[in-house]
Amino acid sequence: MKAIIPVAGAGTKLRPHTYTQPKALIPLAGKTVLSIIIDQLHEAGINDFIFIVGYLGEKIQDYVKAKYPHLVCHFVYQNERYGTGHAIDLAKEIIGSEEVFIVLGDTIAEYDVKQILNVPFSMLGVKKVDDPRNFGVAEIEDDGFISRVVEKPAIPKSNMALVGIYKIRETDLLFTCIKKIIEKKDIARNELSLTDALECMIQSGTKFKFFKVQNWFDCGKKETLLLSNATLLKKFGGKVPELDKYENTIIIPPVSIGEGCDIKNSVIGPNVTIGDNTLLNYTIVKDSIIGSFSKLYDVVLDDSLIGSDTGIKGETRSLNIGDNTDIDLG
């Protein structure tokens, strides 16, 4: 089985960070969004990955090759982004008739991957939501099979949202359905939704079962990204190398600190992720994510998202600053 991870999106809701960094590579609980997804699938036995890349795709490619040299990795460029269905269709030649496990590149969820792989049906991950109108929605029968899926329905008949995790056994039919939709639509003007292709498969006789994810972490905007960081830090336990080397500093777990950091006279935590080679002096920070190679002096930070290679000096409370920025608040 191959895994497909579409990571071609521009991540506009996380700007300014995604001007210089793909959303999938934003640090989260000592890892990245992408590494959490890859590790989860690899631990279940999947070793063959296809990444659909586009915006800043070379950074995704460099990261994966450096961190996962032991995996079989293919990179397919989606130069024109016409939706998830179009992204998956670009992998058709690599997939052939092989089963696929699709996880959208900003989807972190808790579920048993091995159990899903062993079920002899195609499967879709779902989660109950309060307002399903902004999601693909699955209508589920009493026998556990899905009777219909609809993308962003105006009047939903179900509150079970598709979370962006799909196991597809009938890949020939999937690509046939995508082709049918392409022939009907002007995809240059209308996004080709994967949900539409799945509905075509259901109407053609494919039996889809559903599985519920325990937790679904939203990494799409600053506020929910910070909340996801806090939750995942509690789950993973954080990581603080050589605690005694941080001079006159208090660490309040859970915290994840990267390699090569120089931290003095500071209070760090709780719920803080700090990238590699970052310097903090006379700094208080909690509930925040700070990128690599940053320098912070005399700063108080709360609920902040700070990009890599950023310099901040002076007092403040909450910031959302992209990469390669210098700010003096003194």
Side-chain angles (χ1 to χ4, degrees):
M1 176 176 284
K2 288 181 171 64
I4 304 177
I5 305 179
V7 283
T12 55
K13 292 181 181 179
L14 275 173
R15 286 177 176 166
H17 304 276
T18 48
Y19 282 124
T20 55
Q21 182 87 305
K23 178 168 65 173
L25 297 187
I26 287 177
L28 193 66
K31 300 188 177 186
T32 64
V33 175
L34 184 58
S35 69
I36 293 172
I37 296 171
I38 295 173
D39 291 346
Q40 194 174 32
L41 299 181
H42 179 50
E43 288 168 6
I46 298 177
N47 300 302
D48 202 335
F49 289 78
I50 302 168
F51 300 91
I52 311 299
V53 299
Y55 179 72
L56 299 175
E58 69 284 351
K59 289 194 173 185
I60 297 280
Q61 190 165 340
D62 292 345
Y63 175 83
V64 171
K65 285 183 176 180
K67 188 171 179 63
Y68 298 99
H70 54 290
L71 298 180
V72 178
C73 296
H74 314 264
F75 299 90
V76 178
Y77 273 80
Q78 186 184 21
N79 296 315
E80 300 291 338
R81 293 187 292 277
Y82 297 134
T84 52
H86 174 248
I88 301 306
D89 192 55
L90 295 174
K92 178 169 55 180
E93 298 301 320
I94 301 173
I95 293 297
S97 298
E98 193 170 347
E99 294 183 20
V100 295
F101 202 100
I102 302 168
V103 182
L104 302 187
D106 58 357
T107 300
I108 299 175
E110 290 183 326
Y111 61 105
D112 190 332
V113 184
K114 286 185 178 180
Q115 183 181 35
I116 304 309
L117 294 177
N118 289 330
V119 174
F121 294 99
S122 291
M123 300 196 76
L124 306 179
V126 300
K127 176 76 172 174
K128 184 183 291 186
V129 296
D130 293 331
D131 185 357
R133 290 175 296 177
N134 292 321
F135 302 93
V137 173
E139 297 176 16
I140 301 168
E141 298 296 318
D142 292 338
D143 59 4
F145 287 98
I146 296 172
S147 60
R148 185 172 181 238
V149 291
V150 186
E151 183 65 19
K152 297 180 181 178
I155 305 176
K157 294 183 179 180
S158 164
N159 61 356
M160 302 304 289
L162 299 173
V163 301
I165 304 170
Y166 320 85
K167 187 188 81 169
I168 310 292
R169 303 185 74 207
E170 301 84 354
T171 47
D172 285 337
L173 181 57
L174 170 65
F175 292 121
T176 297
C177 282
I178 291 175
K179 183 179 179 181
K180 286 181 181 179
I181 296 169
I182 290 174
E183 290 172 350
K184 290 180 181 178
K185 283 187 173 184
D186 177 3
I187 65 168
R189 296 167 61 184
N190 300 281
E191 281 200 354
L192 173 53
S193 166
L194 180 57
T195 305
D196 292 341
L198 298 175
E199 173 61 15
C200 170
M201 292 178 69
I202 292 171
Q203 297 306 317
S204 300
T206 300
K207 304 281 283 184
F208 280 96
K209 289 188 77 73
F210 78 97
F211 66 93
K212 292 182 180 179
V213 299
Q214 298 171 32
N215 287 300
W216 182 17
F217 301 102
D218 187 348
C219 303
K221 54 187 179 180
K222 176 199 167 189
E223 293 78 13
T224 54
L225 182 69
L226 292 175
L227 180 60
S228 295
N229 180 62
T231 305
L232 289 168
L233 278 170
K234 292 180 177 70
K235 174 179 170 59
F236 295 141
K239 180 184 69 173
V240 182
E242 302 179 56
L243 180 60
D244 58 350
K245 79 173 187 178
Y246 304 123
E247 179 184 335
N248 194 30
T249 292
I250 298 172
I251 305 292
I252 305 172
V255 166
S256 178
I257 299 176
E259 299 295 331
C261 290
D262 183 2
I263 301 175
K264 302 175 183 176
N265 311 307
S266 298
V267 179
I268 311 298
N271 307 321
V272 173
T273 291
I274 300 173
D276 296 336
N277 302 297
T278 284
L279 186 154
L280 288 83
N281 196 4
Y282 293 103
T283 292
I284 300 173
V285 56
K286 68 175 182 176
D287 299 312
S288 298
I289 298 173
I290 300 171
S292 300
F293 297 96
S294 293
K295 296 179 175 62
L296 280 68
Y297 303 89
D298 302 310
V299 174
V300 178
L301 292 179
D302 186 5
D303 292 312
S304 296
L305 185 56
I306 308 297
S308 296
D309 195 24
T310 295
I312 305 173
K313 184 178 180 181
E315 285 201 32
T316 186
R317 296 303 300 177
S318 177
L319 293 173
N320 186 11
I321 299 171
D323 295 352
N324 307 110
T325 303
D326 283 296
I327 295 178
D328 188 341
L329 296 157

